[in-house]
């Protein structure tokens, strides 16, 4: 694959009110530019004749969709056609949701948009809402097609009226269309040639309008960003390399470049770039999907974003100020948990605060800060369960967009305006620095796991005072040790009087104390050990802090005592009892279930 050789490609989205003629126009474009498969037009026409149906150009899209869907799943018609100048991928977005979804998560993000308005019906609410979404998503290049000119006798006055009114609305939302173009999709007028019916119209036809869009060349000059889509392991014996697969959103990367992943902040170097057709590549550009292998094995997961350490760091936080476009039938409920998707990351989210709400079709501010209804746009603060990596939309629109789902259904989407601080901001920045300096061992995590027959894990035993945490921790250490495990019980005091000697006794040092315990744990976990730590009444935010410092998904939390006195979420609750043995067995079973230690069957 040589990314520069192929003909220029451009992604365009077509939007507009229902039945205003999007599919018809695409069908026309396909046939006029001779982009249809041989015999397709005749085949669809024949089929219509056989079923005594009037042929519609829109049917072409459905016919193509059927063919495409056998290979890949698509929920929005992606249609390919070409002019002399370039190849186009056009997204026919039948509704807001498909449209938003494609803009935010779709493989092809639109660089330009066509808004279709029916000359006879005029501007409708969705003509406005789609305009609003485009503006919000930062798509600057738009042209407006005034379709069905045949129904208004190709009237210049009607066309001019739409130009005037719609320009006004668009300029209110800061969109300035490159042009307005009158066409008739059904008769093919002004699609690929200028016709006498529109003698008063002197500018180019629709194909010219498309070719006049400019390629967004600037993405390649932006910082490198690639969302990790998947991590594949080579399956052949003794080969423990991984391929990190994703699509480049901006910037470029070459073999040998240093690469950092966020939110974890882990660093390595690109060893090879594997393309999906099998041939190795030296450099990757925006829009290309590929797999990276790394020189040093680090553990990254889906949802992380790959960047170059010398370029601008993405934001990492669990609090975001956003502009949210709501499409769910049910209004947004504060405190309800939804799912946020940013790039390939998926995180539980809830609304912390609503700053203001406006109606996207009238631009009126709505007089409530409590309920976000369907089709409203709200500026609000989102609180995530886990931090994500992203850029603000101003910095880089492609990584500053998100969607919100409820029960797997997309309910809304929008743009990230600002990264707000959360409780872990200061600890996180220390972790990033530490990770950027981290000396990677030649023995990787899996080799250690194989050797010791266990997955390194932090077992946190917490609960009220005098609930017998320490005796249980020590018995557990003994039990696992006798089973041949590599295990250690670390008394908190061991850290307090040593590593913490400089801060001990100072006020407000609880967070720093915990950070140091977690840093010590992080080093011990890197050795492959099962580490047992006890602490009184850990809260949710204490666990968050610990999980900011140590690798993800490596803690098991046990609450001891009848009553849970904090907001911590635990994996196992055990009553305080006089017989630690029973408790130890319960914890051991949990570790087996979690795959930390081997479970005989
Ligand atoms: P949805 O996908 O359902 O939102 O509709 P659409 O925007 O894709 O519209 P489509 O192309 O399906 O056209 C809707 C209807 O308008 C069809 O019956 C078309 O035949 C008709 N139509 C489309 N373009 C024109 C036109 O230029 N003139 C006339 N008279 N009818 C048209
Ligand atoms: Mg359609």
């Amino acid at each position: 694959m040589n990314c520069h050789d192929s003909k220029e490609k451009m992604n365009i989205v077509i939007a507009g009110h229902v039945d205003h003629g999007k599919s018809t126009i695409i069908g026309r474009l396909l046939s006029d530019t001779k982009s249809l498969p041989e015999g397709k037009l005749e085949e669809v026409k024949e089929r219509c004749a056989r079923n005594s149906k009037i042929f519609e150009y829109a049917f072409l899209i459905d016919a193509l969709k059927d063919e495409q869907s056998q290979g890949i799943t698509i929920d929005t018609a992606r249609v390919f056609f070409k002019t002399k100048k370039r190849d186009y991928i056009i997204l026919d977005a039948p509704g807001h949701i498909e449209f938003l979804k494609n803009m935010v998560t779709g493989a092809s993000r639109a660089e330009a948009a066509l808004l279709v308005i029916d000359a006879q019906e005029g501007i409708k609410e969705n003509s406005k809402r789609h305009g609003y979404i485009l503006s919000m998503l930062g798509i600057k290049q738009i042209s407006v097609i005034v379709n069905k000119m045949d129904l208004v006798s190709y009237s210049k006055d009607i066309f001019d009226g739409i130009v005037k009114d719609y320009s006004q609305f668009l300029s209110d939302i800061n969109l300035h269309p490159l042009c307005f173009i009158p066409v008739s999709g059904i008769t093919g007028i002004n699609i690929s040639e200028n016709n006498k019916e529109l003698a008063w119209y002197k500018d180019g036809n629709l194909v010219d309008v498309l070719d006049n869009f400019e390629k967004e060349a600037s993405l390649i000059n932006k910082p490198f960003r690639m969302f990790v889509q998947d991590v594949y392991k080579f399956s052949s014996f003794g080969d423990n390399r991984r391929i990190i697969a994703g699509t480049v959103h901006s910037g470029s990367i070459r073999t040998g470049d240093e690469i950092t992943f966020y939110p974890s902040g882990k660093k390595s170097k690109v060893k090879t770039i594997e393309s999906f057709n099998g041939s190795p590549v030296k450099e990757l550009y925006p829009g290309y999907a590929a797999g990276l292998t790394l020189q040093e094995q680090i553990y990254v997961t889906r949802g992380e974003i790959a960047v170059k350490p010398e370029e601008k760091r993405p934001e990492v936080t669990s609090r975001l100020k956003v502009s949210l476009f709501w499409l769910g039938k049910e209004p947004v409920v504060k405190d309800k948990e939804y799912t946020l998707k940013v790039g390939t990351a998926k995180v539980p989210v809830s609304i912390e605060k609503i700053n203001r709400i406006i109606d996207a079709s009238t631009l009126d501010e709505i007089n409530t800060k409590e309920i976000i209804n369907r089709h409203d746009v709200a500026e609000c603060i989102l609180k995530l369960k886990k931090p994500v990596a992203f850029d603000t939309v101003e910095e880089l629109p492609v990584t500053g967009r998100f969607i919100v789902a409820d029960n797997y259904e997309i309910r809304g989407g929008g743009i990230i305006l600002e990264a707000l601080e959360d409780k872990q901001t200061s600890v996180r920045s220390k972790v990033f620095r530490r990770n950027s300096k981290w000396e990677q061992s030649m023995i990787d995590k899996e080799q250690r796991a194989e050797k010791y027959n266990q997955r390194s894990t932090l077992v946190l035993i917490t609960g009220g005072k005098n609930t017998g945490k320490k005796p249980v921790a020590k018995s557990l250490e003994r039990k696992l040790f006798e089973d041949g495990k590599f295990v250690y019980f670390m008394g908190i005091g061991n850290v307090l009087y040593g590593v913490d000697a400089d801060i001990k006794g100072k006020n407000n040092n609880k967070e720093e104390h915990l950070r140091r315990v977690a840093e010590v744990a992080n080093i011990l976990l890197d050795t492959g050990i099962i580490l047992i730590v006890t602490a009184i009444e850990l809260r949710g935010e204490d666990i968050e802090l610990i999980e900011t410092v140590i690798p993800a998904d490596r803690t098991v939390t046990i609450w001891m005592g009848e009553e849970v006195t904090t907001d911590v979420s635990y994996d196992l609750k055990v009553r305080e009892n006089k017989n630690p043995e029973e408790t130890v067995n319960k914890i051991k079973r949990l570790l087996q279930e979690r795959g930390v230690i081997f479970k005989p069957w």
Side-chain angles (χ1 to χ4, degrees):
M1 177 177 70
N2 186 331
C3 305
H4 279 331
D5 268 3
S6 49
K7 201 170 155 195
E8 188 173 274
K9 287 189 181 56
M10 182 178 262
N11 292 313
I12 290 186
V13 66
I14 186 163
H17 199 75
V18 62
D19 275 354
H20 279 198
K22 299 176 295 292
S23 304
T24 304
I25 289 167
I26 298 175
R28 268 289 175 185
L29 277 169
L30 283 171
S31 97
D32 281 17
T33 57
K34 314 232 169 341
S35 306
L36 284 168
E38 185 81 20
K40 193 89 228 166
L41 185 62
E42 292 70 23
E43 182 195 314
V44 176
K45 279 186 173 163
E46 249 167 55
R47 206 187 313 153
C48 285
R50 254 200 327 265
N51 298 321
S52 328
K53 239 165 107 181
I54 298 167
F55 168 78
E56 290 241 6
Y57 274 90
F59 297 161
L60 283 169
I61 313 295
D62 295 332
L64 292 172
K65 228 200 280 193
D66 287 347
E67 267 167 31
Q68 285 178 5
S69 60
Q70 289 168 11
I72 35 165
T73 357
I74 43 165
D75 33 36
T76 298
R78 287 206 309 155
V79 183
F80 302 86
F81 74 95
K82 48 185 183 300
T83 64
K84 279 198 199 81
K85 180 162 176 180
R86 53 166 94 100
D87 292 347
Y88 289 94
I89 300 165
I90 193 154
L91 300 172
D92 178 11
H96 302 299
I97 294 202
E98 292 77 4
F99 181 37
L100 257 180
K101 184 175 163 200
N102 265 290
M103 290 308 299
V104 177
T105 61
S108 30
R109 290 190 172 81
E111 296 162 70
L114 295 170
L115 278 163
V116 180
I117 295 183
D118 180 326
Q120 196 175 43
E121 274 202 9
I123 302 159
K124 292 295 218 185
E125 309 83 61
N126 281 354
S127 320
K128 293 185 174 180
R129 288 186 188 124
H130 279 156
Y132 196 100
I133 296 178
L134 290 173
S135 150
M136 191 168 89
L137 295 176
I139 297 165
K140 296 271 178 330
Q141 291 200 83
I142 67 159
S143 287
V144 182
I145 300 175
V146 181
N147 186 35
K148 307 197 190 181
M149 286 301 290
D150 55 299
L151 295 183
V152 296
S153 317
Y154 302 97
S155 156
K156 183 173 183 311
D157 286 349
I158 289 183
F159 176 77
D160 288 345
I162 291 175
V163 172
K164 183 166 164 282
D165 294 347
Y166 202 44
S167 299
Q168 181 59 51
F169 172 81
L170 292 177
S171 94
D172 288 347
I173 57 173
N174 208 14
L175 271 187
H176 306 281
L178 301 175
C179 68
F180 281 74
I181 172 173
V183 308
S184 165
I186 220 153
T187 55
I189 280 176
N190 215 13
I191 301 288
S192 63
E193 47 192 56
N194 295 38
N195 307 78
K196 62 175 185 333
E197 286 83 352
L198 286 168
W200 51 265
Y201 173 79
K202 301 284 182 241
D203 295 320
N205 56 49
L206 184 58
V207 170
D208 300 327
V209 166
L210 290 171
D211 284 347
N212 281 337
F213 281 135
E214 275 174 28
K215 190 74 195 151
E216 250 182 50
S218 56
L219 269 184
I220 197 169
N221 302 320
K222 298 278 184 188
F224 170 71
R225 298 289 188 256
M226 181 177 115
F227 277 108
V228 176
Q229 182 84 41
D230 252 312
V231 181
Y232 301 102
K233 261 185 81 174
F234 281 86
S235 48
S236 63
F237 180 75
D239 190 346
N240 59 3
R241 280 181 306 153
R242 280 149 196 274
I243 291 196
I244 295 163
T247 302
V248 176
H249 298 296
S250 58
S252 64
I253 193 136
R254 298 179 68 92
T255 50
D257 282 350
E258 287 202 320
I259 187 167
T260 309
F261 295 84
Y262 287 99
S264 70
K266 288 183 192 161
K267 198 183 76 177
S268 188
K269 245 186 203 163
V270 179
K271 190 171 180 186
T272 60
I273 301 174
E274 317 276 332
S275 77
F276 288 110
N277 64 19
S279 50
V281 188
K282 283 267 173 315
E283 189 162 12
L284 270 187
Y285 306 98
Y288 285 88
L292 309 176
T293 66
L294 305 178
Q295 233 143 50
E296 285 173 339
Q297 283 317 302
I298 51 171
Y299 294 85
V300 293
T301 50
R302 180 187 162 92
E304 290 202 68
I305 185 165
V307 313
K308 286 187 191 167
E310 71 273 19
E311 292 180 339
K312 190 183 177 305
R313 208 190 80 195
E315 307 286 348
V316 177
T317 184
S318 63
R319 285 179 73 237
L320 317 173
K321 184 161 121 191
V322 304
S323 187
L324 169 70
F325 194 92
W326 192 249
L327 301 167
K329 280 202 191 86
E330 306 287 324
V332 172
V333 183
K334 261 196 192 169
D335 299 327
K336 180 179 150 100
E337 203 170 89
Y338 300 92
T339 305
L340 182 90
K341 297 188 195 175
V342 185
T344 52
K346 252 200 226 163
V347 191
V349 63
S350 57
I351 309 262
E352 182 181 301
K353 184 173 173 234
I354 298 169
N355 292 341
R356 66 192 196 109
I357 305 176
I358 63 166
D359 177 327
S361 65
T362 59
L363 307 181
D364 292 337
E365 185 152 349
I366 291 167
N367 210 2
T368 164
K369 287 183 181 154
E370 290 308 313
I371 302 171
I372 310 172
N373 281 308
R374 187 177 207 184
H375 297 143
D376 286 348
V377 180
E379 186 195 288
C380 49
I381 295 173
L382 304 182
K383 170 90 189 80
L384 321 187
K385 263 266 169 65
K386 266 179 16 190
V388 287
F390 59 90
D391 295 282
T392 60
V393 78
E394 191 180 289
E395 204 62 61
L396 200 53
V398 283
T399 46
R401 298 169 182 161
F402 66 87
I403 52 176
V404 175
D406 182 17
N407 252 331
Y408 304 102
E409 297 285 335
I410 295 172
R411 300 283 192 242
I415 49 171
I416 305 171
L417 303 171
E418 206 181 321
L420 302 176
E421 287 200 351
D422 62 11
K423 290 208 173 84
Q424 310 308 334
T425 300
S426 95
V427 168
R428 197 176 293 124
S429 70
K430 292 189 178 93
V431 169
F432 289 160
R433 190 169 158 71
R434 173 256 280 169
N435 277 351
S436 78
K437 304 281 178 196
W438 189 263
E439 200 68 60
Q440 193 71 31
S441 167
M442 299 282 283
I443 301 155
D444 72 36
K445 189 173 90 169
E446 275 157 8
Q447 287 170 307
R448 286 181 204 274
E450 201 176 340
K451 174 114 184 167
Y452 301 133
N453 239 316
Q454 64 185 39
R455 266 181 38 199
S456 70
T457 297
L458 174 62
V459 181
L460 285 169
I461 303 178
T462 188
K465 250 187 192 153
N466 304 323
T467 45
K469 296 181 294 298
K470 225 182 259 182
V472 163
K474 287 184 174 177
S475 305
L476 179 65
E477 181 193 30
R478 163 74 54 196
K479 174 96 180 164
L480 293 176
F481 178 76
E482 282 169 0
D483 287 350
K485 299 296 160 202
F486 178 32
V487 59
Y488 183 64
F489 163 66
M490 178 173 80
I492 287 251
N494 302 5
V495 178
L496 199 59
Y497 295 94
V499 174
D500 280 353
D502 60 326
I503 58 161
K504 168 130 189 24
K506 285 191 195 147
N507 291 335
N508 301 327
N509 56 13
K510 190 170 176 211
E511 185 189 287
E512 178 59 10
H513 171 56
L514 202 57
R515 186 188 75 80
R516 293 185 189 192
V517 168
E519 281 291 351
V520 173
N522 181 57
I523 293 176
L524 287 170
L525 288 176
D526 203 42
T527 68
I529 209 163
I530 295 172
L531 183 67
I532 307 164
V533 170
T534 58
I536 294 174
E537 297 187 322
L538 286 175
R539 299 160 303 167
E541 68 180 77
D542 298 329
I543 303 281
E544 267 174 42
L545 189 154
I546 293 169
E547 291 185 336
T548 302
V549 176
I550 70 168
D553 307 324
R554 299 281 280 285
T555 44
V556 169
T557 308
I558 289 121
W559 182 273
M560 283 191 63
E562 195 69 61
E563 197 193 344
V564 181
T565 49
T566 74
D567 63 344
V568 75
S569 53
Y570 48 83
D571 300 287
L572 176 70
K573 184 179 137 183
V574 284
R575 246 175 279 152
E576 98 191 65
N577 58 35
K578 302 283 169 279
N579 177 9
E581 187 129 349
E582 194 186 315
T583 307
V584 165
N585 281 331
K586 278 188 188 162
I587 299 176
K588 187 178 155 182
R589 273 201 297 282
L590 174 70
L591 296 180
Q592 286 174 331
E593 274 158 27
R594 292 290 163 91
V596 175
I597 55 175
F598 176 64
K599 181 182 188 179
W601 62 88

